[in-house]
């Protein structure tokens, strides 16, 4: 198997996450140390599917020099996109309507033409589905689990999550003093899509008084009770951390933009929604801070940097060992490999019986239930 690899490609897809550049560096250097060449594909697979957009043709050589000194940098030197999924590529049909087509076979043909032997696909749930499909059609693929949301199954954590949680925690820390000075309620909305990992971890670490996550539909009355109890006990400020995917038990999720051909729905607005409901029920000032994309930007924490470097080198080792159709995963204390079929299309939600959630309950945090 080893002898047959000469050239590999890397793609980064979906929303960016701190640590992408560290994975890229790790893959390129570990591959170079085995005598393999690495090429980078621009913007997910757009470099292959829309080459006319790129002066260099959409794919470029990744040398040791090109990846030197990038492990600590946020973003991705390859670019990324959450539009242009090759399994559902948006196109204008002959009759003028919009539609989606599967363009994965064009990627396989490109790999064959360019004599690229394998793909390291760095991404979240969408990228895992693409990687699984390419694998099933015969491409050698190893995936690396990326997302600040931590919602991928079979890995203890994705890279990017720790950086997002660390920054959100720092923001919550800062909001305590201003909320306390003004005796206000601060609602902090964080990303996370349909999972509450970021809200749960940052909320507990940052000392929030209530945390609302999608896994526990909330009753606004419970949060009001919590704020009133705190007031009566002389603690006149409250911090409410809300995951963007949280929703009221008798209502629905807030969506900024519905799903369209070529991209998924965009969540957001629940922070303002919760604040409006609180203002109807309590006399206090309520303010909202939406952390949004701040959680995706900036440098990876040391934990994420190390995880990314471990994931990247493990991906190269997997290819060297002849593995394909696997995702590199963190199974403390080691990195291991899980079949793409076992992870593609499966979301990891916060377990309601987990000790982290129980920790929050035991220290008096209200979860809106
Ligand atoms: O998956 C990461 C994530 O940051 C989600 O938490 C969020 O819902 C989504 O991406 C937003 O993506 P964008 O604004 O890039 O479309």
């Amino acid at each position: 198997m080893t002898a047959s690899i000469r050239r590999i490609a890397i793609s980064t897809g979906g929303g960016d996450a701190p640590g992408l550049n560290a994975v890229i560096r790790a893959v390129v250097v570990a591959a170079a140390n085995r005598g393999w060449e690495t090429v980078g594909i621009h913007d997910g697979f757009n470099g292959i599917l829309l080459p006319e957009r790129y002066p260099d043709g959409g794919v470029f050589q990744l040398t040791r020099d090109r990846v030197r000194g990038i492990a600590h940098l946020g973003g991705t030197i390859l670019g990324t996109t959450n539009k242009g999924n090759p399994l559902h590529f948006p196109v204008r049909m002959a009759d003028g309507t919009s539609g989606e087509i599967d363009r994965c076979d064009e990627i396989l043909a490109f790999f064959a033409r360019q004599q690229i032997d394998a793909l390291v696909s760095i991404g979240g749930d969408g990228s895992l589905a693409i990687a699984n499909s390419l694998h099933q059609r015969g491409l050698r693929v190893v995936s690396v689990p990326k997302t600040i949301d931590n919602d991928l199954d079979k890995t203890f954590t994705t890279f990017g999550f720790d950086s997002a949680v660390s920054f959100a925690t720092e923001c919550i820390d800062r909001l305590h003093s201003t909320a306390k000075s003004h005796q206000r309620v601060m609602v902090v909305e964080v990303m996370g899509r349909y999972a509450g990992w970021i809200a749960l971890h940052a909320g507990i670490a940052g000392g929030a008084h209530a945390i609302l996550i999608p896994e526990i539909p909330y009753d606004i009355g419970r949060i009001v009770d919590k704020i009133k109890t705190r007031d009566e006990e002389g603690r006149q400020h409250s911090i409410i951390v809300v995951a963007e995917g949280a929703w009221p038990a008798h209502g629905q999720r807030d969506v900024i933009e519905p799903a369209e051909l070529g991209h998924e729905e965009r969540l957001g607005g629940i922070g303002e929604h919760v604040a409006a409901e609180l203002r109807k029920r309590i006399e206090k000032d309520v303010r909202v801070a939406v952390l949004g994309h701040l959680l995706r930007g900036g440098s990876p924490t040391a934990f994420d940097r190390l995880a990314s470097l471990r994931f990247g080198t493990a991906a190269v080792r997997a290819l060297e060992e002849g593995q394909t159709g696997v995702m590199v995963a963190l199974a403390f204390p080691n990195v291991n490999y899980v079949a793409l079929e076992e992870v593609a299309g499966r979301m990891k939600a916060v377990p309601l019986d987990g000790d982290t959630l129980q920790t929050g309950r035991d220290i008096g945090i209200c979860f809106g239930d």
Side-chain angles (χ1 to χ4, degrees), residues 15 82 147-149 191-193 244 266-267 293 296:
N82 46 21
T147 167
I148 64 164
D149 303 335
M191 282 187 169
R193 285 224 293 184
E244 63 178 359
R266 280 181 59 215
L267 302 180
H293 295 83
R296 288 216 319 231

Side-chain angles (χ1 to χ4, degrees), residues 55-95:
D56 61 5
V59 168
F60 63 106
Q61 201 74 23
L62 284 169
T63 59
R64 280 178 202 271
D65 280 348
R66 186 67 191 78
V67 299
R68 187 159 291 133
I70 66 167
H72 66 294
L73 300 178
T76 159
I77 62 166
L78 303 182
T80 187
T81 180
N82 46 21
K83 294 181 178 159
N85 179 337
L87 286 168
H88 306 281
F89 203 84
V91 284
R92 175 106 13 226
M93 303 305 227
D95 62 2

Side-chain angles (χ1 to χ4, degrees), residues 97-126:
T97 59
S98 302
E100 291 180 346
I101 56 168
D102 182 334
R103 297 188 64 185
C104 285
D105 287 344
E106 292 173 55
I107 296 172
L108 295 184
F110 180 90
F111 272 64
R113 264 196 325 274
Q114 299 287 320
Q115 298 181 313
I116 302 171
D117 306 305
L119 169 70
V120 175
S121 167
I122 313 171
D125 55 347

Side-chain angles (χ1 to χ4, degrees), residues 171-301:
C171 292
I172 297 166
D173 287 347
R174 287 169 181 250
L175 290 169
H176 272 280
S177 59
T178 175
K180 194 169 181 186
S181 305
H182 289 264
Q183 306 182 349
R184 281 177 172 159
V185 174
M186 288 294 322
V187 177
V188 190
E189 181 182 312
V190 297
M191 282 187 169
R193 285 224 293 184
Y194 308 114
W197 293 102
I198 298 175
L200 180 71
H201 283 226
I204 294 179
H209 307 110
I211 300 174
L212 308 181
I213 59 175
E215 292 83 351
I216 307 176
Y218 67 86
D219 171 351
I220 196 78
R222 299 276 178 222
I223 306 152
V224 170
D225 291 346
K226 176 74 182 175
I227 295 168
K228 286 189 172 163
T229 305
R230 285 180 53 75
D231 269 8
E232 282 157 20
E233 291 171 357
R235 288 164 293 146
Q236 277 144 356
H237 77 288
S238 293
I239 306 278
I240 319 292
V241 175
V242 186
E244 63 178 359
W247 51 292
H250 301 294
Q252 56 194 15
R253 196 163 260 146
D254 282 74
V255 173
I256 296 180
E257 217 183 306
E260 268 179 40
L261 286 180
H263 71 88
E264 295 174 356
E265 68 180 5
R266 280 181 59 215
L267 302 180
I270 185 68
E272 282 294 350
H273 187 152
V274 167
E277 292 301 315
L278 290 177
R279 287 186 194 113
K280 288 183 205 162
R281 294 167 171 83
I282 55 174
E283 295 299 315
K284 304 176 74 69
D285 268 356
V286 183
R287 296 287 191 269
V288 181
V290 179
L291 301 186
H293 295 83
L294 290 168
L295 301 181
R296 288 216 319 231
S299 293
T301 56

